């Protein structure tokens, strides 16, 4: 699948629209002999699932995944793994306005101008619903890289960052924001509640750390591990920026400050590089950060045009997340798992 | 070429090491009938060429490109275009220390641990020299998208940003920093001169604008125009971050602030999106920003280890740019040209 | 999907096992705006469907296709088209012997030695059941190339060839063998009936003609139209040989005899080339021929080994086609449609 | 390179025209640490080289290969291996007729109608000269699969087959026809000498055997080993047919006759399958056969048209092989080496 798939050896494609009968993913190239059942996938989908708190869309989806192929007696067989998730809550009437007027910040206009025909119900293919399929695929990818532990969390919401000194990993799953700083989580709760009531939305920044990546994954010069991560992250709905290690802040350091010196072990005395040098993993934690814009669906009237070019206004009612960055945590983790699993297999192909 | 090539229909690969006999690129899938001679490529290489000011490496390369295939009587034939650039100044003795000790911030350690064998002369394949081939390929890509004007420039050097109110496009080519703000260019000159004398280095942020991209280029969901740009940019040596439109700043806006409202035309009342919605171009300028870390080659002694794991120190003498971001301007432009040309052809394939 | 998909711009993957819950295909890159409903696909599946005569397996499958994504209000949207076909008749008990002993001529041994785990029910992924998904995908491909008429038919069964002088196109669909020669069809009926009763099987040769392919499709040198056709055909279960135009017979001609001379029009005075020169279509009919081995599932006891390497014998009971070549007609047509549609889009990408 | 490259993990592209300054190949994904110098490649090029007997074109090319990248101190580094071969004997005046009139059987017409511009000198990109680059790449591929022995030879020339009972492997390199049957070689010598003097040409059939391929290489369903071989072979100039194992003859066998029964070992009691079942290698010799049409360049006047559609005649003078099948032996071997090396790496990627 040339547009809707990615990966080199582990090739993953997704299909499906927001309000079609189902969405799904096909994972090709998965190693055989891995223990896999729906129970390995479902928890990750539950993490991403809408309706889990009042800070995420109230669309009700059980998001039950079914494995249609690629396993036998509980083991992967090396053949394509087809996963399907039915769409249950398809209240497309909520979207009737969208049929004619383009929602600013959404893909409505671009899909229409590109294809000349589009499924306008809930954003169709461009809906964040598609990311459920990615999360399912990511769950399979995790099985390929048991040596790697992946954790993503919000480090900033609506411009309010966490305090790094208050970072407690255990806190991340203890609040609806995947926030490692308890005090920040409390502030965010108030802030987001106000925002939601005002019919507005906020952006967020997610940080993702992959521990346990051995040195040597990634490849020059267009299959660089960081280039693959950048592509994977930027392909997530609402993502507008990606950085590795110190990222944009590295541009403000001097050479000596940015240098990750080495000692026997080997160990690195710092990790400004975010675990990647020359596109190849160093053995240090791989660190990526992704910026998500505020949800484009808001209750304020926005100026726009309709299909015929006539000026109009639109208020995007529907059921939406006031901050898409929250549910994106599960997606960011899935995408990094997919990239790392692919790169592991690719490294094995070339270097044995 | 699976690792050292990219693109979908317009497929571009590069080959070559810093101190081998030559570097080059092969461009496959170029439309036939385009006027192409070395004279169309050379000016872009000259822009990237080392030794053009005292703020870039003093390595002397004429960087003469030769077309070895793919044209006939001055026109592209639709067959692979092979371009070659000889390496002339290969003083590999400068790099003798590197043979044993790993330079922090470079790919020395990762290449060695991945491949077990590496060309240590000047970084081998991981050298920025490889990017000359990209610039040559980018020159061909530009011919495929005559409707697009691409301009990249530095907006920040060593943490010192330009003043947007002093932005004068004509200034960009009038200073060695590709800086659109004359006052900033003056400040940077002093700053970088000090840095160079101190044997240190600085980072930079480049902004790139592509005007004239029609609406409709790009595709869901893993061939998104922004995902392709992110991958292309992050594949450049020393790049640590990429953002589109408002990028990380978008994460600090509210939904209403970030919304690019539309009026008949269609026109957009703002361009927070950076010309891309849902992975597809809107017709507005495509805007990307890339962060470059400070050059890793510095004259301070850095702690490191050698191939055998023994601790040692290294001073990276050689001839280096005190700020790699400066020469990266030509590379950023080339990469965006390659992405846009590929997406143009891909769009034509599917949508006619 | 790297192993289970093919195509360059029109990318088609299949998934599913013989006795899993379903099989399916995802078609990515399909142009938007094509009229598509299940009714466009079902007739082609019916043509391939088992149980249509006593010369095909008595497995009962209604082979109902469902479109899960990629269309809206009856038109393709340019997003992935996901098609699913439920497996209804999954009598896996028929295959219990196969769980331990390898059936000669089948993929049992090779899958097991490669993957270490395999779905042995009915051949799992290697079952001809997979080809139903190809036929469904081929039906979509046909919509992309309305200018092309594709017709496949048997020209030889069990070593008994048709008489070219008795070729009547209208006869092809009038007998269960897709045989254009009425007399041959009668002979084959007797021959295959005897074979079936004897628990044996026969091979066949299929010829496929694609009329209406304009000149210019295909590309040098590894995307040649004939190379793509060869790959597509050889990927069909039981295929052992492919030829284009005069094929192996061309090796027995002298240069003058094999030459397709041209006259104004342009017209060609013959078509030894089978419509392809230098990997690019000439505008003449594209002609391919595919050899299918006799069905490997036979009622004679064959010497084999089991998973543990012990010698044993096996009689492959199950329900099988005495000549797989018959049902392969629909598959050959589907594969050529997929190749041609992809090449049409690819040509448009590069040459406009 | 999307059109002029192939392979999945080991990705190989070629570039260059018959009468341009040079031709070459870039090999990406080669494992590191392999001993490689020009001396490993040159002998294979010498085998393919024109002018080695009076039965091959008298074009004089030394075909000296140079390694431009990808090795260091005699070892492959895992980075792209760029190989170049200069074109020395470029007597393009021989081809002046071709500039306007299309040679029947050549790609002249199709290239022109596809691209609208073509390098007509010696066939340009469609010249058999391109295959020298493949042979060079194949030499590198052989290093990746030291466990495999590849041998190709002619089994039929101009319709005259060898006698299998007279097969002596040692004879293959002892005659200019790569013929394993001494008596046949003598007959062919006379036959081809007459043909050459008559200004005509003959076709040939090559058989290629790869011994030592372990079981497990190849993959369902579009990366089948036989599908990959079929594509690779059909991409060779003048190839019109490919078969695996018994090939077309298998279509004339009954199920019992075609069955390769197994005994402990495992051993197979026959090899009708040609070493491949279900697209995956069985551990038996992989056997492929390729049919080559007679050289299209002949001294008889052939009817044709020119660029403007006017009728004319053409005699293709130049210097040509009276039977392209002879020199194709080296190319067939190279292509199978490339396919097998890629599949080895691909298998390692997925199955470890």
């Amino acid at each position: 699948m040339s547009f809707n798939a990615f990966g080199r050896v582990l090739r993953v494609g997704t299909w499906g629209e927001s309000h079609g009968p189902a969405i799904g993913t096909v994972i090709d190239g998965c190693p055989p002999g891995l223990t896999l059942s729906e129970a390995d996938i479902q928890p990750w989908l539950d993490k991403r699932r809408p309706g889990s708190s009042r800070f995420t869309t109230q669309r009700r989806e059980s998001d039950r995944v079914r494995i249609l192929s690629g396993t036998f007696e509980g083991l992967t067989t090396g053949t394509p793994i087809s996963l399907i998730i039915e769409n249950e809550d398809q209240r497309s009437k909520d979207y009737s306005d969208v049929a004619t007027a383009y929602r600013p910040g959404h893909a409505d206009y671009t899909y229409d101008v590109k294809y000349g025909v589009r499924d306008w119900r809930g954003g169709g293919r461009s809906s964040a619903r598609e990311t459920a399929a990615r999360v399912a695929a990511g769950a399979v990818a995790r099985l390929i890289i048991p040596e790697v532990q992946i954790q993503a969390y919000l480090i900033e919401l609506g411009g309010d960052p966490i305090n790094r000194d208050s970072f407690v990993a255990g806190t991340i799953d203890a609040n609806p924001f995947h926030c490692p700083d308890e005090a920040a989580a409390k502030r965010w709760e108030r802030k987001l509640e106000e925002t939601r009531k005002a019919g507005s939305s906020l952006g967020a920044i997610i940080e993702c750390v992959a521990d346990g990546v051995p040195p040597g994954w990634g490849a020059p010069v267009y299959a660089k591990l960081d280039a693959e991560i950048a592509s994977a992250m930027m392909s997530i709905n609402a993502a507008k920026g990606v950085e590795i290690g110190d990222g944009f802040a590295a541009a403000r350091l001097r050479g000596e400050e940015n240098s990750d010196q080495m000692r026997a072990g080997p160990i690195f005395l710092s990790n400004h590089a975010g675990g990647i040098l020359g596109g190849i993993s160093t053995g240090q934690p791989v660190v990526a950060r992704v910026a998500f814009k505020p949800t484009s669906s808001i209750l304020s009237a926005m100026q726009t045009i309709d299909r015929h070019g006539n000026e109009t206004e639109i208020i995007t009612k529907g059921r939406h997340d006031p901050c898409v960055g929250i549910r994106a945590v599960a997606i960011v983790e899935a995408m990094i798992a997919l990239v790392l699993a692919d790169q592991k297999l690719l490294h094995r192909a070339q270097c044995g």
Side-chain angles (χ1 to χ4, degrees), chain A residues 81-346:
Chain A
I81 300 168
S82 176
L83 305 178
I84 193 170
I85 301 167
E86 309 277 335
N87 286 330
E88 297 166 352
D89 187 356
Q90 311 161 19
R91 278 190 271 167
S92 61
K93 64 181 176 311
D94 287 356
Y95 292 96
S96 48
D97 289 355
V98 182
T100 48
Y102 302 128
R103 295 169 299 170
H106 282 279
D108 299 352
Y109 171 68
T110 52
Y111 268 60
D112 212 1
V113 77
K114 181 181 184 75
Y115 298 118
V117 51
R118 72 187 175 96
D119 181 349
W120 46 260
R121 300 166 305 166
R125 180 72 183 147
S126 71
S127 166
R129 177 123 194 90
E130 180 270 339
T131 60
R134 303 189 191 205
V135 170
V140 177
R142 286 172 196 262
L143 303 177
I144 302 171
I145 46 168
E147 63 272 60
V148 178
Q149 297 79 45
I150 295 169
Q151 173 110 61
Y153 41 86
L154 261 72
I155 57 166
E156 192 177 309
L157 185 147
D160 181 16
I162 62 162
N163 180 349
R164 291 273 175 182
D165 296 332
S166 307
F167 193 108
V168 179
T171 304
I172 293 169
D173 292 329
N175 63 72
F177 308 105
H178 309 291
C179 175
D181 169 359
E182 204 178 344
K186 291 225 171 81
R187 295 196 307 272
W188 295 356
E189 182 162 1
R190 283 192 302 275
K191 191 181 187 99
L192 200 56
E193 182 62 19
E194 281 167 32
T195 304
R196 191 178 65 81
K197 285 182 175 161
S200 185
S201 62
L202 297 174
I205 299 176
I206 292 177
E207 185 169 275
C208 184
V209 178
D211 262 302
V213 177
W217 292 3
V221 299
Y222 301 115
K224 282 180 171 169
L225 182 53
D226 35 2
E228 297 280 277
I229 291 173
S231 175
M233 293 306 162
M234 201 67 101
S235 78
I236 302 174
N237 308 43
K240 297 303 288 185
V242 190
E243 53 182 20
I244 303 292
D246 281 9
F248 278 84
R252 286 143 199 158
L253 298 178
R254 292 173 69 88
E256 314 83 76
E257 295 165 331
N258 187 57
S259 177
D260 297 319
Q261 302 185 71
M262 296 182 79
R263 295 285 80 188
I267 57 163
F268 289 85
L269 303 181
S270 54
N271 188 19
H272 297 287
I276 304 173
L277 285 174
I280 298 169
S281 59
T282 63
Q284 288 191 288
V286 170
V287 181
R289 236 164 281 107
V290 193
F292 290 90
K293 68 179 183 184
T295 316
S296 297
S297 299
I298 50 176
L299 289 178
S300 306
M302 289 285 130
Q303 296 187 319
T304 191
I305 58 170
D306 64 19
R307 288 203 77 177
H308 311 291
N310 302 315
E311 301 194 342
T312 180
E313 284 198 340
I314 194 165
I315 293 175
T316 316
K317 285 168 238 161
R319 297 151 294 164
H320 300 290
D321 297 73
C323 175
V324 288
I326 297 172
R327 285 171 58 210
V329 164
I331 306 159
V332 165
E333 288 190 359
M335 294 310 292
I336 212 159
L338 287 165
V339 169
L340 290 171
D342 185 35
Q343 289 280 4
K344 177 182 180 176
L345 301 186
L346 200 59

